[in-house]
Amino acid sequence: MTKNKLLEVMTDKSVDFLRHPVCHHTPLSFRRKTNYYEQIMLKHPLPSPFHSLAEYLHGGLLEADPSVQSYVPQPYQFKINGKRYIPDVFVIRGNQKIVMEIKPEAQTPFHYEQYLEPFLHKYQIRFEVITNESILAQEQKAVNWLKIVQVLVAANKSRIRTTQLQDEIMSKLLMSDEAIELGDFIDSGDRQRTYATEVAVFRLAHAGLISLALEQSDLGFDTVLSL
Amino acid sequence: MNGFRSTLIEKPELNDLNNWPMHVDTATMSSKNRAKFIRNVEIIKYFQQGVSVKKTAMTHNVSPSMVYYLLNRALGTYDGEPPALYKGLIPNLIQHEKQRQSPMPTLADGRGSVFAFKALLKKYPDIEVELQAKIKASYRGTATSENLTPNILHKTFLSLLIQFGVPKDHYPYTTQSLAYQSVRRYFHDYLSELRCPESRPWRESISKRSDMAFEEIQIDEQHFDCETAIEFEIFGRRTLVRVKRFWIVMATDCSTGCILAFHFSINLRCSQWDIMNVLKQIHYPKPKLTIQTPSLSYPEGPNLNDLKAWLPRVQIGVISLDNDMAHFGNNCIQYAHDQQACLHYGHPENPNAREQIERLFLMINTVTHRHRSTTGSHSHDPIKESKRLKKKPPKVNVQTLLEMMSIQIAEYNQKPQARLGGICPVEKLKELIQHQYYCMRPPQAPQSQLVKDPKLRKLHFSKTKKQHPWVNFYGVRYTVMDWSKSVNTTTTVSIEFDPQDIRKIKAYLPNGDFIAELIVPRMWRRYAHGIVTRKRIIKTTKNLLFASGDAFTEYFTILQKNFHKPSVQLEMVRLGFENSQSRELVLGMVKTDDLSEVGFSSNSYEQSANYISSQIRMPWEQVKIS
């Protein structure tokens, strides 16, 4: 028996499904057993299930990465050696399609990698294992981006238009020689008045047109903006 | 072991007592040990001053070997460890694990058996492995694990001695008890070692640190003892019943510790509607209650209603819940998604992950009584109900109970806390919102009691009869009252409803356009009722509905027949509580010419209502709380 015969796709066997998966439903019994997070994201605009803190933070990091077009948490269900296995996330980055598994460093190398890598390679999909530790090292950045995602999802739902404001912000950043902070665009006394500008800044950052210094400090009025 | 001389050659500065770091607290020693310790220090001081060992010993009335012994204890080193210094001068302190020095006792060579058991386990390590495995298996406490005692373990030990070929003339066969006491002590020592909590790797998490308003909101509910009586009046006869337990659901902001919302539920189980109630209060806090009980009043000071203008604009970060089934209700999940909040259900049986809310319940537990188990108080529970109270329970109005809880929570929110820099939680929240950065929501529609149903429902059109279209909702057919936008084909609609009163619901197209208001059939219109009541009525009167055609009458008759049951009494109180706010059913949108089809004749309704009320009085007419 070859190794690949041990692997079976349980959800949908079509090639198209493998390349364009949909989020696998997490059963209630499993949701009650795990450290479960659920949030509507921007690059996966549906309730996205995450089965651990590391997975949730990784979602924030994917949102922060402008090269990632979209991702699907819990994409497929495989049966490997008779045991069910759901990878953590499917990511589309540029022309690449990547299936990622998030594991603690102590549990690497991942024992299903030998089955998954050749199987997914046939469909031009890469398989990667990321350690929890590497994600938790960027916790501050991830936490900040998860907050920005919430603001942007709410703004998108309310159809807040910011095209003109985005142009104004870009021109201001281009003309300025000094470092500009988020507080320069937000009126702390009347947040309501500058709400659209705040959304515009976050939209620019999410699109990768400007960068926010969120790696070391909390999101706040003193967050530095740069091109 | 290296003696004191080699230490002094390596570290000559230790020859001065002033260079020894002082890390021994003499205050904790017994007076006898303290005196001996001071004497030992004096001996070392004399030696360091260059006084001969003989003279030092004579001065302190000890033998010269005692002086060398103390020097070695204080300055000697074992296996490269640093010298014990002052610790070595503490009398009777065991510095290193002792081992047997002499050969093991045999029948021919009858030596003492000091540390012989330890030496035996060292010589035969498999015996120790087997013993430890047996104790571990017993400690796990599974259904099949053995109820291990020292006696059983000793018998196992003896069989292991034979199995591993320990000579019959060696220890423990040299002793009369065959090392029973050693096995007993080993059993207890290893068991206590297993019971010790393991130290886990700890990492400071940024996700747990919050200095932003509403960054994390923790919600939980707890069952409390009420231990009070409520008086029912049924057909003029007064009956005293005891409502023993109630639920409190609370929501707290982690960054400030402020109690944002609380809900008081007199029910057997906490439902998703109780959680929904609390979730809605986070952005729109409830106004203060009108205090009806004399001598009760709210404390003066800042309260959450002062922040009414700001709270609806603050974006919730994470809503932390435990894995109770009520928290997984579709309506709760839908509401959280509508607020763009992240739902977080922690690991099971890990309340410490939500320490803020658990601490608040602890605060309430100090003034109330919570049963130690699901079966009630233990007979030796020090805070169990007194015999006097049991015979004659205090009578407390439900309204009073609610007012007391509300005042208690308002007081907590206004109490300055040291961890918040001496300001109260409400003020801290105000400061965070007005002066610090917080994630902001877009402008919101005015507050509404209506809840969006997560399920899409089918709008039915009859193909055979000429009748209005309808939607099936919680087991009942709702008909369209009036079209605001005509829909010609069968379609799916989303429903909005008030969970406290589901007599009227609103239907929307999936794109969000309002279609029509729908109304319940006549027999369900008499009293305002929530989803919980509807479900219970349908479940209880499933087979009886066709007999009378009045679900309410059937249900109340069943309740009255079973009034002696505590669960029914609780249900009566819940119904009374649900109906305490009288709601009028407004049928303003019904066209007058269509009354026979979608509305009802007021005269006939009054007649039927009078007829029903002559047969049975409704619970909220009967409940008089004293």
Side-chain angles (χ1 to χ4, degrees), chain B residues 464-512:
Chain B
T464 51
K465 287 180 189 173
K466 190 190 172 189
Q467 64 182 75
H468 287 259
W470 74 90
V471 168
N472 293 324
F473 184 71
Y474 284 99
V476 174
R477 179 181 284 195
Y478 284 70
T479 43
V480 172
M481 286 173 71
D482 189 15
W483 290 106
S484 82
K485 186 178 182 179
S486 61
V487 179
N488 296 321
T489 50
T490 307
T491 182
T492 49
V493 289
S494 64
I495 301 290
E496 263 192 4
F497 61 98
D498 179 2
Q500 306 294 321
D501 182 6
I502 53 167
R503 289 178 296 178
K504 236 171 38 169
I505 58 173
K506 285 181 177 176
Y508 294 84
L509 282 173
N511 62 8

Side-chain angles (χ1 to χ4, degrees), chain A residues 28 31-40 47 53 56-57 136 139-140 143 147-148 150-151 153-155 157-158 160 182 186 188 191-192 195 198 202 218-221, chain B residues 203-209 211-212 215 313 315-318 323-325 328 333 337-338 340-348 434-443:
Chain A
L28 180 64
R31 273 190 273 169
R32 292 186 73 193
K33 281 176 195 163
T34 185
N35 192 15
Y36 185 78
Y37 290 83
E38 192 173 294
Q39 186 183 321
I40 297 174
L53 176 67
Y56 178 56
L57 295 175
L136 294 171
E139 190 177 3
Q140 182 72 73
V143 167
K147 286 173 194 165
I148 291 173
Q150 287 178 335
V151 173
V153 170
K157 201 183 166 192
S158 301
I160 307 285
L182 190 59
I186 300 172
S188 57
R191 294 281 303 275
Q192 208 157 326
Y195 171 69
E198 194 178 330
F202 290 155
D218 282 329
L219 177 68
F221 293 121
Chain B
R203 187 183 67 88
E204 192 191 4
S205 174
I206 294 162
S207 318
K208 287 281 159 199
R209 206 177 62 207
D211 296 320
M212 197 186 273
E215 193 174 349
R313 299 300 305 271
Q315 173 68 48
I316 301 174
V318 179
N323 63 350
D324 189 272
M325 280 301 282
F328 287 95
I333 294 171
H337 288 158
D338 287 347
Q340 286 78 44
C342 171
L343 275 170
H344 174 217
Y345 301 95
H347 282 298
Q434 289 182 348
H435 304 296
Q436 303 284 323
Y437 180 83
Y438 63 88
C439 291
M440 204 174 178
R441 295 203 302 169

Side-chain angles (χ1 to χ4, degrees), chain B residues 258-465:
Chain B
C258 184
I259 302 175
L260 298 169
F262 86 99
H263 175 63
F264 182 83
S265 167
I266 299 179
N267 217 332
L268 274 179
R269 297 269 175 274
C270 183
S271 71
Q272 60 172 315
W273 301 109
D274 298 322
I275 307 293
M276 275 291 290
N277 199 315
V278 165
L279 280 171
K280 283 190 142 190
Q281 283 182 53
I282 293 171
H283 283 124
Y284 303 100
K286 267 189 184 174
K288 278 182 179 178
L289 295 172
T290 315
I291 304 290
Q292 293 168 8
T293 316
S295 77
L296 282 185
S297 64
Y298 280 106
E300 284 184 9
N303 63 66
L304 279 174
N305 283 300
D306 300 343
L307 301 171
K308 240 182 191 175
W310 284 282
L311 290 180
R313 299 300 305 271
V314 185
Q315 173 68 48
I316 301 174
V318 179
I319 298 174
S320 288
L321 299 151
D322 62 17
N323 63 350
D324 189 272
M325 280 301 282
H327 302 163
F328 287 95
N330 281 340
N331 290 286
C332 298
I333 294 171
Q334 176 72 44
Y335 186 81
H337 288 158
D338 287 347
Q339 309 301 316
Q340 286 78 44
C342 171
L343 275 170
H344 174 217
Y345 301 95
H347 282 298
E349 297 171 7
N350 186 18
N352 289 345
R354 287 166 286 102
E355 82 294 342
Q356 188 77 43
I357 191 80
E358 296 297 339
R359 206 185 298 142
L360 285 175
F361 278 119
L362 200 69
M363 178 268 292
I364 292 178
N365 283 349
T366 53
V367 290
T368 59
H369 176 216
R370 190 162 183 246
H371 284 301
R372 291 190 171 185
S373 70
T374 50
T375 50
S377 280
H378 188 261
S379 56
H380 299 299
D381 186 350
I383 50 167
K384 69 173 182 174
E385 190 184 23
S386 67
K387 280 181 186 173
R388 189 177 59 81
L389 280 184
K390 222 168 212 174
K391 279 178 190 163
K392 197 180 175 186
K395 280 184 250 173
V396 175
N397 192 329
V398 179
Q399 183 64 26
T400 308
L401 192 65
L402 185 59
E403 285 168 8
M404 282 161 71
M405 288 307 302
S406 177
I407 289 167
Q408 175 85 9
I409 286 164
E411 270 179 5
Y412 174 82
N413 277 345
Q414 292 178 14
K415 205 174 182 180
Q417 291 185 11
R419 72 185 184 97
L420 299 175
I423 59 171
C424 65
V426 176
E427 275 179 356
K428 179 75 182 173
L429 186 64
K430 197 175 176 181
E431 188 190 306
L432 286 185
I433 289 176
Q434 289 182 348
H435 304 296
Q436 303 284 323
Y437 180 83
Y438 63 88
C439 291
M440 204 174 178
R441 295 203 302 169
Q444 298 293 308
Q447 187 195 2
S448 163
Q449 284 297 319
L450 300 181
V451 173
K452 197 178 159 192
D453 190 26
K455 238 184 190 178
L456 284 176
R457 313 255 171 188
K458 197 174 172 184
L459 183 66
H460 298 271
F461 290 83
S462 176
K463 286 175 186 171
T464 51
K465 287 180 189 173

Side-chain angles (χ1 to χ4, degrees), chain A residues 197-223:
Chain A
T197 319
E198 194 178 330
V199 172
V201 171
F202 290 155
R203 277 184 179 160
L204 284 171
H206 190 255
L209 297 171
I210 62 169
S211 63
L212 301 175
L214 298 170
E215 282 79 10
Q216 301 298 328
S217 55
D218 282 329
L219 177 68
F221 293 121
D222 52 355
T223 301

Side-chain angles (χ1 to χ4, degrees), chain B residues 545-588:
Chain B
L545 270 182
F546 295 104
S548 70
D550 188 345
F552 284 111
T553 311
E554 292 295 345
Y555 186 54
F556 301 147
T557 314
I558 291 166
L559 287 187
Q560 199 168 5
K561 275 180 188 167
N562 298 295
F563 184 69
H564 58 280
K565 292 180 183 173
S567 61
V568 173
Q569 289 163 359
L570 193 67
E571 175 64 4
M572 296 273 267
V573 177
R574 190 191 67 78
L575 284 171
F577 204 61
E578 186 183 72
N579 216 272
S580 57
Q581 294 170 330
S582 59
R583 295 182 184 84
E584 292 295 325
L585 184 66
V586 182
L587 298 170

Side-chain angles (χ1 to χ4, degrees), chain B residues 23 111 237-238 262 324 368 491 525:
Chain B
H23 50 77
R111 292 165 187 267
R237 206 176 121 207
R238 287 189 157 200
F262 86 99
D324 189 272
T368 59
T491 182
R525 288 180 201 166

